[in-house]
């Protein structure tokens, strides 16, 4: 007789935001085998980018891969095409792009924290964090003119400039948020019922992080010092106070804590950007047609986003390869699930911050 | 970005000699359709803690030739291999179809216009 | 632990955080990206907006007498503003307003009606091009 039982999680489950299916092979309460199915929302974006849209329009297409990291997708694509066109953006454009990416990171991390709290059974905290997240969403809406689909970055610059009212609003909202994040850090550190669900649960060891090529917050929580912001020279991150943040224990608590500390770092960076914004044009002409091959890596909220663009001097591109963070994180996720208790699975899953519409693209 | 040419037969040896888990981060497997049944396969790596160091191993192949799997060297490569099986209809040892498409789907969307 | 209990207790006396929508209107920030609006008097019919539009929400119908008719699908538009940036006469011929588009009704034919229009535009251009060509040939033979 078979000693194990199969329990599926997903594709529709109350603890999931997005469709993903895990098939857990369980021995009593312990998970011993995992099978993941991720292709529920495949839309063929890579194909559409090369067949239906010209290279100037593709930036708006790839922004629709994912709602949360829309800005990182359009940024990576735009950077790749600008490399092919031989265009280098001026400092003001770079700073404005960094500002949007860091704001995006703050609100994406807050969404993840909210969901980890909810999946650990703390629904009031979920509502509280989601309410605080509106501070950042409001800023982004005011800057770009839309709440989710920013369409802020275009080839050769950014579409809108900061006005003095916007600067005042950014300072005000970030100031309010700083005190709220401080309170959250205390709460995540000291709350006893949260620590039962978080501490020592879902551990990714450093060795496994190397073996399975973990990335982003998942790797940094395990102590693997990798961050694309420190590994590329496309943006002057050192000038605006970027610090790499590392934790060592690799459990859910470490991942939450890492995200909270990254939010604090991102807030500082946003304030520095707004205070030291260089003067310059926000739109410049980038002429020509993309010819050749370019790779771009950008640190999205969930880890490294990779774009490979190849063109042959025509309006249509030959290949747009999108490698999203969650796609690479799945082998490490499967490794973490092995040996965990089934009851902890939703909280562990939420702490990875998986983004399925990115993965299936 | 550095590009290093390899062939499918020497791929395992080349990557085995090159890859160190603590030094290189494996990004993904990528395929590019070159038209007329030809395909370029790429294995992409980046180095931890070094600025702008991306290494791409590439090999030219066609639709029929089976592609060796590098899962024995890099366990996390199975996702990328399953993706090229679906998207280009290649055969990779040990990689199942059905990551994005249906398991029995006959379509290979990223192959050249056919 | 006790801090969060105290916090929870104090929350009883704090104001409510939820918005009272729809009893109270939500104020959108100024500069909201809304519908694209068109001024026929300033338009020079260069078709630049049509070419850059990512979803193809602006289409010009080619009339037989050489003029063109502008048509815009507000439900297909993604409000990116690329057309306004491409326009040689922004603010006069094409500009982005702050009005929000409401959902389409069935009668408005947001999808089917637009497919018909797309087809009509394509055919009108082909017909115009062939008519022009044959006119040219006729002119030459007359000479």
């Amino acid at each position: 007789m078979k000693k194990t039982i199969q329990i599926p999680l997903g594709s529709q489950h109350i603890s999931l935001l997005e469709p993903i299916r895990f098939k857990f092979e369980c021995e009593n309460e312990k998970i011993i085998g995992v099978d993941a199915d991720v292709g529920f929302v495949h839309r063929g974006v890579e194909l559409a980018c090369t067949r239906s849209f010209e290279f100037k329009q593709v930036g708006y297409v790839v922004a629709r891969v994912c709602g949360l990291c829309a800005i990182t997708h359009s940024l990576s694509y735009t950077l790749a095409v600008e490399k092919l066109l031989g265009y280098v953006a001026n400092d003001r454009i770079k700073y404005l792009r960094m500002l949007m990416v860091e704001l995006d990171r703050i609100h994406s991390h807050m969404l993840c924290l909210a969901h980890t709290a909810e999946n650990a059974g703390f629904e009031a905290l979920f509502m509280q964090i989601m309410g605080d997240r509106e501070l950042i969403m409001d800023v982004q809406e005011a800057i770009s003119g839309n709440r989710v689909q920013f369409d802020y970055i275009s080839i050769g610059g950014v579409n809108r400039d900061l006005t003095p009212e916007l600067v005042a609003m950014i300072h005000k909202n970030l100031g309010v948020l700083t005190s709220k994040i401080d309170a959250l850090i205390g709460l995540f550190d000291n709350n006893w019922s949260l620590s039962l669900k978080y501490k020592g649960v879902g551990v990714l060891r450093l060795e496994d992080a190397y073996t399975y090529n973990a990335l982003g917050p998942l790797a940094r929580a395990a102590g693997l010092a990798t961050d694309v912001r420190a590994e590329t020279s496309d943006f002057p991150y050192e000038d605006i106070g970027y610090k790499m943040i590392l934790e060592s224990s690799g459990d859910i608590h470490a991942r939450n804590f890492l995200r909270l500390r990254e939010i604090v770092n991102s807030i500082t960076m946003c304030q520095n950007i707004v205070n030291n914004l260089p003067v310059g044009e926000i739109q410049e002409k980038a002429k020509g047609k993309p010819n050749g091959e370019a790779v771009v890596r950008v640190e999205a909220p969930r880890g490294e986003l990779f774009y490979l663009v190849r063109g042959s001097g025509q309006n249509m591109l030959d290949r747009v390869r999108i490698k999203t963070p969650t796609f690479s994180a799945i082998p490490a996720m499967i490794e973490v699930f092995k040996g965990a208790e089934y009851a902890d699975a939703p909280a562990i899953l939420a702490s990875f911050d998986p983004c399925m519409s990115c993965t299936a693209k | 970005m550095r590009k290093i040419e390899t062939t499918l037969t020497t791929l395992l040896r080349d990557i085995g000699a090159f890859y160190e888990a603590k030094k290189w981060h494996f990004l993904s497997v990528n395929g590019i359709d070159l038209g007329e049944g030809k395909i370029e396969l790429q294995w992409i790596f980046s180095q931890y803690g070094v600025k702008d160091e991306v290494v791409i191993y590439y090999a030219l192949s066609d639709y029929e030739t089976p592609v060796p799997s590098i899962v024995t060297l890099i366990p996390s490569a199975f996702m990328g291999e399953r993706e090229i099986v679906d998207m280009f209809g290649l055969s990779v040892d040990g990689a199942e179809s059905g990551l994005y498409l249906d398991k029995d789907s006959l379509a290979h969307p990223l192959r050249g216009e056919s | 632990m006790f801090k969060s209990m105290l916090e929870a207790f104090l929350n009883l006396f704090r104001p409510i955080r939820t918005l009272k929508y729809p009893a109270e209107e939500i104020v959108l920030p100024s500069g909201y990206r809304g519908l694209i609006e068109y001024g026929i008097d300033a338009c020079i019919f260069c078709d630049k907006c049509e070419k850059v539009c990512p979803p193809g929400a602006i289409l010009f119908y080619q009339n037989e007498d050489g003029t063109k008719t502008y048509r815009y699908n507000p439900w297909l538009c993604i409000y990116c503003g690329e057309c306004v940036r491409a326009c040689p006469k922004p603010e006069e011929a094409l500009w982005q307003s702050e009005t929000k588009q409401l959902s389409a009704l069935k009668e408005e034919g947001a999808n089917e009606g637009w497919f018909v229009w797309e087809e009509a535009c394509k055919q009108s251009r082909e017909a115009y091009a062939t008519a022009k060509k044959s006119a040219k040939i006729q002119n030459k033979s007359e000479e």
Side-chain angles (χ1 to χ4, degrees):
Chain A
M1 211 181 93
K2 234 173 122 184
K3 287 246 177 78
T4 60
I5 44 165
Q6 272 195 355
I7 309 177
L9 180 80
S11 57
Q12 291 177 19
H13 190 277
I14 39 165
S15 76
L16 295 175
L17 284 150
E18 295 181 66
I20 179 172
R21 186 177 66 210
F22 284 104
K23 247 190 263 165
F24 293 125
E25 192 82 37
C26 295
E27 204 177 56
N28 294 332
E29 290 281 308
K30 279 253 180 305
I31 299 168
I32 54 166
V34 187
D35 188 18
D37 186 353
V38 296
F40 290 94
V41 275
H42 179 60
R43 286 147 293 158
V45 174
E46 285 183 359
L47 184 71
C49 290
T50 52
R51 296 269 173 88
S52 318
F53 296 95
E54 293 178 5
F55 80 94
K56 279 187 182 156
Q57 302 169 339
V58 170
Y60 298 103
V61 180
V62 292
R64 268 104 190 132
V65 168
C66 172
L68 271 173
C69 23
I71 202 87
T72 33
H73 275 279
S74 54
L75 173 66
S76 332
Y77 172 76
T78 311
L79 275 179
V81 170
E82 284 177 357
K83 276 187 183 178
L84 292 180
L85 298 178
Y87 164 81
V88 180
N90 66 28
D91 277 352
R92 190 180 180 88
I93 295 174
K94 280 185 183 170
Y95 270 59
L96 286 173
R97 286 174 176 179
M98 274 195 292
L99 173 71
M100 281 307 270
V101 173
E102 291 310 315
L103 286 174
D104 204 51
R105 190 180 324 279
I106 297 172
H107 90 78
S108 174
H109 277 355
M110 289 185 80
L111 181 91
C112 170
L113 289 168
H115 274 282
T116 340
E118 189 200 17
N119 284 1
F122 200 158
E123 218 159 293
L125 185 60
F126 164 76
M127 290 177 198
Q128 191 194 324
I129 302 177
M130 288 299 257
D132 297 341
R133 181 171 166 259
E134 288 302 312
L135 290 168
I136 297 297
M137 301 290 279
D138 287 347
V139 170
Q140 285 186 312
E141 184 173 8
I143 294 177
S144 72
N146 200 312
R147 209 177 119 89
V148 177
Q149 285 301 346
F150 309 118
D151 292 338
Y152 184 66
I153 294 169
S154 58
I155 296 170
V158 292
N159 293 341
R160 284 161 171 245
D161 205 354
L162 285 187
T163 57
E165 299 90 64
L166 279 175
V167 172
M169 182 188 184
I170 293 172
H171 276 303
K172 189 179 131 241
N173 281 14
L174 287 181
V176 176
L177 191 70
T178 314
S179 60
K180 303 231 174 196
I181 295 293
D182 284 343
L184 276 182
I185 289 180
L187 190 66
F188 271 87
D189 209 17
N190 300 323
N191 191 298
W192 178 69
S193 56
L194 278 179
S195 75
L196 280 182
K197 274 280 188 185
Y198 290 160
K199 285 191 179 153
V201 175
V203 178
L204 178 73
R205 292 178 303 125
L206 181 57
E207 288 302 309
D208 288 340
Y210 277 118
T211 317
Y212 294 96
N213 288 299
L215 73 178
L218 184 59
R220 289 196 288 278
L224 201 169
T226 172
D227 192 322
V228 181
R229 284 175 286 177
E231 289 173 8
T232 54
S233 49
D234 294 327
F235 290 109
Y237 267 111
E238 283 80 10
D239 300 350
I240 55 163
Y242 163 73
K243 280 201 308 276
M244 188 186 284
I245 289 154
L246 288 176
E247 293 278 331
S248 55
S249 55
D251 54 4
I252 301 180
H253 179 258
R255 289 197 275 277
N256 284 337
F257 226 67
L258 180 108
R259 289 203 171 93
L260 282 165
R261 287 171 60 200
E262 282 199 351
I263 291 175
V264 175
N265 187 218
S266 290
I267 291 175
T268 328
M269 282 198 270
C270 288
Q271 284 164 341
N272 286 344
I273 291 171
V274 175
N275 289 337
N276 307 318
L277 203 61
V279 232
E281 288 288 309
I282 58 156
Q283 269 281 358
E284 288 168 344
K285 280 261 180 295
K287 279 184 181 160
K289 304 241 165 101
N291 195 358
E293 193 174 279
V295 293
V296 163
R297 296 159 71 211
V298 167
E299 179 81 8
R302 293 166 180 76
E304 170 191 51
L305 178 65
F306 170 82
Y307 266 69
L308 183 144
V309 175
R310 180 184 275 192
S312 51
Q314 271 151 13
N315 266 334
M316 292 301 211
L317 293 165
D318 287 355
R319 179 84 166 103
V320 179
R321 165 80 170 128
I322 309 169
K323 200 263 335 168
T324 53
T326 312
F327 180 80
S328 307
I330 283 171
M333 283 183 195
I334 290 177
E335 199 48 37
V336 173
F337 275 125
K338 285 179 188 162
E341 305 249 327
Y342 180 78
D344 294 331
I348 297 175
L349 183 61
S351 78
F352 294 139
D353 200 6
C355 176
M356 291 344 284
S357 48
C358 268
T359 311
K361 62 205 177 257
Chain B
M1 184 177 81
R2 274 196 291 146
K3 284 188 91 172
I4 303 170
E5 188 167 7
T6 177
T7 58
L8 291 186
T9 42
T10 57
L11 174 77
L12 278 173
R13 206 184 62 210
D14 284 354
I15 290 184
F18 163 81
Y19 181 74
E20 291 165 52
K22 296 211 167 169
K23 190 176 171 195
W24 295 99
H25 174 77
F26 174 70
L27 277 162
S28 187
V29 189
N30 178 29
I32 299 176
D33 194 289
L34 303 175
E36 296 165 358
K38 293 273 175 247
I39 193 167
E40 180 181 331
L41 291 165
Q42 299 178 328
W43 290 263
I44 307 161
F45 300 87
S46 69
Q47 194 172 348
Y48 290 124
V50 178
K51 286 213 171 198
D52 296 323
E53 182 71 351
V54 176
V55 173
I56 300 179
Y57 273 87
Y58 72 101
L60 299 174
S61 175
D62 53 39
Y63 296 150
E64 280 76 37
T65 322
V67 180
S69 169
I70 56 165
V71 171
T72 46
L73 300 168
I74 305 161
S76 64
F78 71 89
M79 288 295 285
E81 286 176 357
R82 286 186 68 183
E83 191 181 2
I84 58 167
V85 168
D86 263 14
M87 289 315 197
F88 293 96
L90 304 175
S91 65
V92 182
D93 326 325
E96 292 173 43
S97 64
L99 182 69
Y100 291 156
L101 308 178
D102 285 344
K103 259 200 160 63
D104 49 358
S105 166
L106 294 174
H108 310 304
L110 291 184
R111 276 195 187 179
E113 318 231 16
S114 48
Chain C
M1 185 72 208
F2 293 106
K3 219 174 148 192
S4 50
M5 278 169 78
L6 181 71
E7 193 77 357
F9 180 72
L10 285 177
N11 275 342
L12 286 175
F13 308 103
R14 288 194 181 130
I16 311 165
R17 294 196 52 180
T18 39
L19 303 173
K20 291 201 175 67
Y21 185 80
E24 276 174 30
E25 279 283 302
I26 288 180
V27 189
L28 292 173
S30 69
Y32 176 82
R33 296 204 320 266
L35 289 173
I36 306 293
E37 283 172 13
Y38 174 70
I40 191 162
D41 303 324
C43 183
I44 57 167
F45 298 100
C46 63
D47 289 6
K48 271 188 182 157
C49 48
E50 187 192 287
K51 273 177 207 139
V52 294
C53 182
I58 294 176
L59 282 178
F60 284 98
Y61 184 86
Q62 181 76 52
N63 296 325
E64 278 171 31
D65 54 355
T67 57
K68 285 175 183 173
T69 316
Y70 164 91
R71 197 156 150 194
Y72 166 65
N73 186 347
W75 300 286
L76 190 61
C77 180
I78 58 169
Y79 315 110
C80 61
E82 196 72 355
C83 47
V84 179
R85 286 189 287 279
C87 185
K89 283 188 175 178
E91 305 304 318
E92 290 169 52
L94 209 62
W95 66 93
Q96 189 149 28
S97 68
E98 291 188 19
T99 22
K100 217 172 174 176
Q101 177 59 40
L102 300 174
S103 319
L105 298 172
K106 200 179 174 190
E107 295 84 61
E108 286 167 313
N111 286 333
E112 291 82 6
W114 189 252
F115 294 149
V116 173
W117 178 252
E118 269 179 346
E119 197 52 43
C121 284
K122 210 175 144 195
Q123 277 172 7
S124 75
R125 288 203 180 171
E126 281 164 10
Y128 186 71
T130 43
K132 228 178 170 181
K133 229 181 197 173
S134 55
K136 230 180 185 176
I137 293 167
Q138 214 166 28
N139 278 347
K140 261 190 186 168
S141 59
E142 274 171 18
E143 280 168 17

